């Protein structure tokens, strides 16, 4: 028959293996976003922030302007995702253009699933701050991992 999730949830407390347990989620704004040296200190007041993702699937997709726009973006992003890992694979700069390729992993809160993906970021700098940001990632792969898109067996 079907699994009784209430009984299954009790097992977590019966198993004495802390190495297998995820820490309890506590909603909070990431420290990097509130620290003086964080994201908001790195962007210009008139920043343009673009995320190449369809809003039908990713509420944070689209274009945002200014610090208020970036705050809206981060609120939308972190309401659905908890970023567990963002490791730089390569970052290169020439003049005021910076490109970065990162390995990312995030918890998709609505589904409870972890998703892994590559993310490319492009920054245009001005006077040492980010004037424009563009973000690219494989949206189809993320949707498949979240269980939104089905894949057919070959």
């Amino acid at each position: 028959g079907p699994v009784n999730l209430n009984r299954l949830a009790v097992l977590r407390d019966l198993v004495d293996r802390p190495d297998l347990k995820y820490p309890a989620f506590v909603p909070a704004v990431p420290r990097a976003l509130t620290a003086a040296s964080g994201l908001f200190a790195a962007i210009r007041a008139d920043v343009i922030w673009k995320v190449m993702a369809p809003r039908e699937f990713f509420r944070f997709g689209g274009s945002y302007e200014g610090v208020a726009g970036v705050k809206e973006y981060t609120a939308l992003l972190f309401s659905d995702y908890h970023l567990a890992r963002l490791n730089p694979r390569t970052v290169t700069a020439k003049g005021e253009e910076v490109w970065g390729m990162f390995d990312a992993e995030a918890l998709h809160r609505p589904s409870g699933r972890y998703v892994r993906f590559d993310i490319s970021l492009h920054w245009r700098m001005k006077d040492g701050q980010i004037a424009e940001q563009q973000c690219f990632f494989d949206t189809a792969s993320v949707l498949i991992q979240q269980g939104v898109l089905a894949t057919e067996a070959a």
Side-chain angles (χ1 to χ4, degrees), residues 16-31:
D16 188 25
R17 290 285 309 272
D19 58 313
L20 298 178
K21 297 178 182 179
Y22 288 107
F25 171 72
V26 177
V29 175
R31 263 182 258 122

Side-chain angles (χ1 to χ4, degrees), residues 21-126:
K21 297 178 182 179
Y22 288 107
F25 171 72
V26 177
V29 175
R31 263 182 258 122
L33 298 181
T34 58
S37 62
L39 173 64
F40 297 110
I43 62 175
R44 293 177 53 87
D46 60 348
V47 67
I48 303 296
W49 200 267
K50 299 176 184 176
V51 180
M52 306 306 163
R55 283 200 176 175
E56 298 84 358
F57 295 103
F58 301 95
R59 295 186 318 151
F60 57 85
S63 186
Y64 301 87
E65 295 183 23
V67 174
V70 176
K71 287 183 178 183
E72 177 186 1
Y73 157 76
T74 57
L76 291 169
L77 173 67
F78 294 126
S79 68
D80 282 343
Y81 295 90
H82 172 74
L83 191 60
R85 182 174 54 84
L86 184 66
N87 295 335
R89 192 177 318 144
T90 185
V91 177
T92 186
K94 184 173 182 180
E96 294 190 335
E97 302 292 319
V98 180
W99 281 93
M101 177 70 87
F102 300 83
D103 295 320
E105 182 175 7
L107 171 64
H108 179 241
R109 291 182 173 147
S111 69
R113 295 179 179 191
Y114 278 86
V115 294
R116 293 182 182 94
F117 54 98
D118 295 331
I119 185 168
S120 293
L121 298 174
H122 171 252
W123 299 281
R124 186 177 52 79
M125 308 298 288
K126 186 172 181 182

